[in-house]
Amino acid sequence: MSGGWQIHEHGSVSSTQDILKDMANKGAAEGNVVVAAEQTVGRGRHGRSWESQPGNLYLSLLLRPNCRAAQLGQISILAGLAVYQALGELVKDPKDLMLKWPNDVLLGGRKCAGILIETSLKSDVVEWVAVGIGVNINSAPENGVFLNGYTKREVSAESCRSFLLSYMGMHYLQWKTSGAFQGVRIAWMSGAHAKGEPVSVKIDKDLLEGDFHGIDEQGSLLLQTQGGEIKTITAGDVYL
Ligand code: BTN
């Protein structure tokens, strides 16, 4: 990764995650990036599918952070911040952008980009991380939104990719070499919805209600329940 990103461009693939994970299992170095023009079986978080017609950005990047499983939440937050900042370079009004835990990027209140993190662990040590990123550039599903509806001039998937890899590379290298997460946490919080905002969190079949209380040092969500208790949540879907 210190040698930069090695980009592998494809036309139509099942999922960039599948190709990258295969490369990772065969020993590929971190910094490899698989990009596709379209995906036939694009995957989202929690087993959902990700609509992947041509014209949008689909990529997966390989990291070998050499960290503990407990730090994976930090990588997830860091990736969301990189996407948020990349889109901030391209939209007419960056105030239209918002981060939603763990790493969704909303534009005008609707989802524009999503991130899927898949990993391989050896006991408690992270062997590799496949960070899959999808950005709606020219089209979006019904409940989503696409970038080109919010830009000054038409943006290509390639220019979005280049900003994204540049922010991702910068944050990741800083984090890996220093181990510090506090700067990323603060930057993420300033791009997220306000503290105290009521949110619901779906964890499997349960729905927890409370107020957003920020994220902690591991990137976990802090939810203040009605009784005032602060709950730490490591996985789930947030609804605003
Ligand atoms: C989410 O549910 O919000 C995560 C969506 C992640 C989609 C990207 S597109 C590139 C990579 N390949 C996939 O199959 N999924 C991720």
Side-chain angles (χ1 to χ4, degrees), residues 222-233:
L222 300 173
L223 184 77
Q224 182 157 35
T225 61
Q226 264 192 347
E229 185 197 352
I230 308 283
K231 281 195 184 296
T232 303
I233 295 160

Side-chain angles (χ1 to χ4, degrees), residues 6-13 19 33-37 58 158 161:
Q6 281 78 53
I7 298 173
H8 308 268
E9 290 193 70
H10 294 260
S12 181
V13 301
I19 297 178
V33 182
V34 172
V35 182
Y58 311 108
E158 290 71 29
R161 174 178 100 195

Side-chain angles (χ1 to χ4, degrees), residues 57 78-91 94 97 105 113 133 135 147 151 155 159-168 171:
L57 178 61
L78 183 155
L81 177 65
V83 176
Y84 170 84
Q85 291 175 329
L87 299 195
E89 300 280 352
L90 299 166
V91 294
L97 286 166
V105 182
I133 304 175
V135 183
L147 184 63
T151 53
V155 164
S159 74
C160 181
R161 174 178 100 195
S162 132
F163 279 115
L164 200 161
L165 291 178
S166 149
Y167 276 110
M168 186 68 199
H171 289 310

